Amino acid sequence: MDTPKRQDPGCYTEHGVSGYGIAVKLSHPTATEEAEIKSMAEEMMLNIAEKCMARGARCIGHIKSHVRTDAGTLKADTIGVNHGAFSSGSLDHAVADLYMAVNSIVQGIHQEEVRHATLEGIHQVAEARGWSVQTEKEHAYFDEFDFTASKEDYKRQLEEQLAAMDQPEKPEEV
Amino acid sequence: MKITQVAGFLGCGKTTLMLRLSRELAGADRKIALVVNEIGEIPVDGKVIEESGMRVKDIGGGCICCEVASTFAKTVYGLYKDFNPDHVLVEPTGVAVPHQVKMAARMSGRDAKIIMGPAIVLFDATRPGELLDMDMLGQLVTTQVKDADVVAISKVDAVDESQLETTTDKIRELNASAEILRLSSFTGLGLKRIQEIILQWKG
């Protein structure tokens, strides 16, 4: 992905739009089927949307998630509680670990409020269903995949990317 | 290399349309590249499209119509130089202003041979009031509609005929010159017409 330098505040800030993104790893004591993971992801999207509105948001742009596992990928999203949540994708077997990127874009509240709502929503829904949040990396996502890799290698790529997010950024070369 | 943007407010179905449109356009041995821009720092859409096997360039870190316009121009030039596709489909952020995206794309025209395709703006049929009647947000969505060469009213399978007619009238009041069509990525309605418009657009 191109990594441009930030310049002036974007046009969207003039319209009161704030965005927040986070990558998390969730683990469950037992392998969990696709239907339950989709249900959790949908509930999470709605919970985050609800929390944003409770904090004063006027409109949900979208709350989106992309779930990666060694059994396949899923996505879930909502554009507001009244619109419901939708999920797609498939897993070819039950999984105990999943890697999730969540992107919340909301109008009417500041980014810090969007951040709180997103974090609380992820934790509340995941933990109520027996998942524990193992790692969370703000302003980050999973990138750089070899989609032809074996399942073991695919999971290793995810773990390596999470670990790399811990590394301090290298100073820019002059 | 024709540059077509699929714009519209957040959640209106841009990524779903991009996926279907790119598959259709690529079907006749055309080289297609996609550029996806998202705010919020997590390029979920780009990753979803990438998994479909399409050539995708993600641009993060801001909006291509303003903050990172120069990065967008460089990306377009890079695609021209390295891949030289027949069509580049651009999905700006849901808060981007289409005429500013066009201006940013034209910056790449100094070094790359480009034709500007249409600005196709999606408008979500399930929430016209939510989008148009709010003060700050309404201004943004109104600008997006006014800037459109084509307005595709999306998710038409989810609303009834009278709602659709009301929405069409509102759109027509804002933009009398744009073609207005009905789109359902679920049923495929409107997809063929959008494809025709892109292919026949003279710039």
Side-chain angles (χ1 to χ4, degrees):
Chain A
M1 179 172 149
D2 295 315
T3 51
K5 289 179 185 172
R6 270 201 179 280
Q7 300 163 4
D8 295 329
C11 56
Y12 49 91
T13 56
E14 295 167 18
H15 303 288
V17 174
S18 301
Y20 174 74
I22 186 167
V24 293
K25 177 186 177 183
L26 304 180
S27 293
H28 197 275
T30 56
T32 305
E33 297 290 342
E34 173 193 311
E36 165 61 16
I37 296 173
K38 279 184 169 174
S39 165
M40 175 176 72
E42 287 181 14
E43 186 188 343
M44 210 177 261
M45 300 301 99
L46 291 172
N47 190 296
I48 294 168
E50 200 168 22
K51 283 182 165 49
C52 287
M53 296 307 283
R55 285 173 177 270
R58 302 188 64 196
C59 176
I60 301 297
H62 68 225
I63 315 292
K64 277 190 181 181
S65 63
H66 193 201
V67 177
R68 292 179 183 275
T69 75
D70 59 2
T73 62
L74 305 172
K75 71 169 191 165
D77 58 64
T78 184
I79 58 169
V81 177
N82 296 339
H83 296 273
F86 300 92
S87 57
S88 59
S90 61
L91 303 183
D92 57 24
H93 58 77
V95 294
D97 294 319
L98 59 86
Y99 303 79
M100 188 174 202
V102 179
N103 187 0
S104 304
I105 301 183
V106 176
Q107 196 254 351
I109 53 176
H110 290 292
Q111 188 189 40
E112 194 55 21
E113 296 289 324
V114 183
R115 173 180 175 271
H116 281 299
T118 305
L119 287 170
E120 285 169 14
I122 291 170
H123 277 267
Q124 189 176 320
V125 174
E127 286 159 13
R129 290 173 179 249
W131 292 82
S132 56
V133 180
Q134 299 289 321
T135 321
E136 52 189 36
K137 306 291 180 189
E138 294 184 288
H139 317 297
Y141 57 95
F142 302 102
D143 201 358
E144 304 298 326
F145 287 95
D146 174 6
F147 292 111
T148 62
S150 66
K151 287 180 178 178
E152 292 73 21
D153 281 347
Y154 190 81
K155 195 165 172 177
R156 182 181 49 74
Q157 291 176 57
L158 287 158
E159 288 290 351
E160 283 176 358
Q161 287 181 58
L162 263 182
M165 292 170 196
D166 281 331
Q167 304 296 321
E169 282 185 17
K170 288 180 186 172
E172 278 186 27
E173 289 180 16
V174 180
Chain B
M1 185 170 89
K2 190 182 282 185
I3 301 175
T4 298
Q5 58 174 307
V6 176
F9 190 66
L10 299 151
C12 64
K14 296 186 294 295
T15 306
T16 309
L17 176 62
M18 288 275 283
L19 265 172
R20 294 203 59 173
L21 204 51
S22 57
R23 284 189 196 127
E24 295 290 330
L25 287 169
D29 283 341
R30 297 183 196 95
K31 282 164 76 177
I32 309 294
L34 296 95
V35 177
V36 179
N37 176 218
E38 287 181 77
I39 56 169
E41 297 161 325
I42 305 281
V44 172
D45 293 340
K47 297 300 120 194
V48 169
I49 295 174
E50 206 169 74
E51 285 181 1
S52 73
M54 300 302 296
R55 182 174 291 246
V56 184
K57 286 276 185 187
D58 285 322
I59 300 176
C63 179
I64 57 172
C65 88
C66 49
E67 287 168 297
V68 294
S70 60
T71 304
F72 173 49
K74 282 179 202 160
T75 301
V76 170
Y77 174 64
L79 283 170
Y80 173 77
K81 188 165 59 79
D82 300 333
F83 184 53
N84 195 18
D86 301 299
H87 291 271
V88 178
L89 299 179
V90 180
E91 180 185 340
T93 71
V95 289
V97 179
H99 77 261
Q100 289 183 202
V101 174
K102 275 189 180 176
M103 282 167 60
R106 285 198 182 103
M107 285 163 61
S108 66
R110 289 177 300 202
D111 305 306
K113 285 182 185 172
I114 61 166
I115 303 166
M116 288 310 301
I120 299 164
V121 173
L122 272 59
F123 185 89
D124 189 338
T126 66
R127 53 173 181 171
E130 206 177 325
L131 297 180
L132 287 174
D133 298 343
M134 269 202 244
D135 44 18
M136 287 194 292
L137 204 57
Q139 289 168 23
L140 169 66
V141 177
T142 298
T143 303
Q144 290 180 333
V145 171
K146 284 181 174 174
D147 276 358
D149 297 309
V150 177
V151 179
I153 301 175
S154 61
K155 307 181 190 175
V156 295
D157 50 275
V159 296
D160 63 34
E161 184 60 31
S162 68
Q163 287 174 292
L164 264 176
E165 283 173 11
T166 307
T167 299
T168 305
D169 290 344
K170 279 186 180 174
I171 300 290
R172 177 65 66 215
E173 278 174 30
L174 294 172
N175 188 337
S177 61
E179 175 170 340
I180 300 172
L181 57 88
R182 295 178 178 190
L183 177 71
S184 166
S185 293
F186 182 65
T187 66
L189 177 72
L191 199 62
K192 197 166 187 301
R193 178 63 193 140
I194 291 180
Q195 198 181 332
E196 284 169 2
I197 292 169
I198 292 172
L199 293 174
Q200 290 164 9
W201 196 263
K202 299 294 182 196

